[in-house]
Amino acid sequence: MVGGGQLARMTHEAGIPLGIRFKLLSDTPQDSAAQAVSDVVIGDYRDLDTLRAFAQGCAVVTFDHEHVPAEHLRALEADGVVIRPGVEALLHAQDKGVMRERLRAAGVPCPRHRIVTDPTDVVRFAEEGDGFPVVLKTVRGGYDGKGVWVVRNAEQAADPFRAGVPVLAEEMVDFSRELAANVVRSPHGQAVAYPVVESIQVDGVCDTVIAPAPDLSGELSAQAQELALRIAAELGVIGHLAVELFETRDGRLLVNELAMRPHNSGHWTQDGAVTSQFANHLRAVLDLPLGDPRPRAPWTVMTNVLGGDFPDMYAAYLHCMARDPGLKIHMYGKDVKPGRKVGHVNTYGDDLADVRERGRHAADYLRGTITE
Ligand code: ADP
């Protein structure tokens, strides 16, 4: 796996019971996954020679992030390296402009959008629709809301163009909530769909994921799963595909974005589904039969743990574990910095309000924003 973040760390963990020999390309020995994996190459994923040397002897290469340059992936594929998902699919997770065009061509419902050239063009885009506000996104390099701007006039529209990356304009969707439809597809064309989840963002960062999405009609839930399966098949995705969706106030689904790797909206599956997203991603890229995606409890809630003022969260384990023996803590081994995602907790049970409260309490206590 290329990339040493927490997704690689948890994918590696899922491979241990299967005895899968897991090799990692990581930027530094301190990265989350590099701390846990024994077969680590330290190197730069932007360097083709490093990638070539790393891929030697690998049955398949897969990814913790979407930042490996497409031309390098093409070169590796030409060398005969098996890359899953392949570059033609990955392009749609790398570039929001490419993704939007492809989805539009496939008839997938998306927010109104187009590539804009400068602030004056943003004003034109606004006038073509319902006016401001308009959402601007750099087509590459964004994550956790970085690279996304909500602008209300031409002056505010100047910033996104400074990065020198093409800028995509989108209508500001009046959504009632955000959902994610997660599916996994194998080279055989087998696919599984997890229950559709609700994801709650705070300041552009995913805070809570509820599985399944509360009060989602059977019809919309099936629509979301079918949409995700259709996108996976049309784009030829192998592995885990997260389709982030907006549920609009008038009951429609619009696709926000795609991730072709395990995803934060699927972390609940570690404790809440028969087969986790990480185990199924591995099975898919190895072309093994996929595991059962069904939930194990009526409700599972994933709450992200963000860094606070205390660098050592271990001290908080005593209270969290004593208060809630059912709590599942997943920490990433990252240095604690204010606002940084350093772990998550999963809680599950029959009563959604209770399951949410337990997750919220643990995340806040670990962060240090509450003390009892
Ligand atoms: P990132 O790549 O940083 O995750 P996203 O495209 O997912 O960026 O956008 C981050 C967040 O910004 C979304 O989760 C959503 O809350 C908000 N957002 C993005 N696009 C729109 C839009 N067209 N209308 C309204 N809100 C949006």
Side-chain angles (χ1 to χ4, degrees), residues 325-339:
L327 179 72
K328 301 289 185 174
I329 301 177
H330 299 268
M331 299 302 283
Y332 309 151
K334 290 175 161 180
D335 286 341
V336 174
K337 291 185 191 140

Side-chain angles (χ1 to χ4, degrees), residues 28-255:
T28 78
Q30 288 79 40
D31 285 2
S32 179
Q35 296 172 26
V37 178
S38 61
D39 190 359
V40 185
V41 174
I42 303 302
D44 186 348
Y45 63 82
R46 288 162 299 197
D47 178 61
L48 180 56
D49 291 337
T50 303
L51 287 167
R52 282 198 159 121
F54 172 73
Q56 289 239 334
C58 290
V60 56
V61 174
T62 189
F63 307 92
D64 154 285
H65 58 67
E66 42 274 310
H67 306 314
V68 179
E71 64 270 22
H72 292 357
L73 297 175
R74 288 210 176 87
L76 291 175
E77 282 186 340
D79 291 349
V81 176
V82 179
I83 292 177
R84 290 178 176 153
V87 59
E88 293 312 318
L90 267 174
L91 287 175
H92 302 91
Q94 292 189 326
D95 186 306
K96 291 178 184 185
V98 173
M99 179 265 292
R100 282 274 177 257
E101 274 325 294
R102 180 64 189 266
L103 294 186
R104 173 156 56 189
V108 171
C110 291
R112 190 176 72 83
H113 63 272
R114 71 171 170 81
I115 297 287
V116 283
T117 52
D118 53 43
T120 321
D121 198 23
V122 175
V123 176
R124 267 197 300 276
F125 174 82
E127 286 166 353
E128 287 157 17
D130 295 330
F132 286 103
V134 163
V135 178
L136 298 179
K137 302 178 175 183
T138 49
V139 295
R140 286 186 296 277
Y143 67 96
D144 284 353
K146 295 175 184 69
V148 177
W149 293 260
V150 176
V151 301
R152 296 191 153 71
N153 52 48
E155 291 80 73
Q156 290 179 357
D159 271 351
F161 294 95
R162 293 191 218 288
V165 175
V167 176
L168 177 73
E170 292 183 356
E171 69 173 299
M172 173 97 177
V173 177
D174 182 25
F175 58 81
S176 55
R177 58 176 169 173
E178 295 187 61
L179 303 171
N182 290 333
V183 297
V184 185
R185 184 171 175 275
S186 79
H188 264 78
Q190 190 194 4
V192 294
Y194 285 100
V196 177
V197 298
E198 175 173 349
S199 91
I200 300 165
Q201 328 284 320
V202 176
D203 300 331
V205 181
C206 173
D207 177 77
T208 304
V209 171
I210 306 173
D215 302 320
L216 184 66
S217 70
E219 193 187 332
L220 270 195
S221 158
Q223 244 184 55
Q225 288 182 321
E226 279 167 14
L227 199 58
L229 289 168
R230 181 151 75 84
I231 293 170
E234 290 214 11
L235 272 49
V237 179
I238 301 300
H240 188 268
L241 169 72
V243 180
E244 294 180 24
L245 297 158
F246 299 125
E247 184 182 358
T248 63
R249 292 189 194 280
D250 55 0
R252 289 172 304 129
L253 295 174
L254 298 175
V255 172

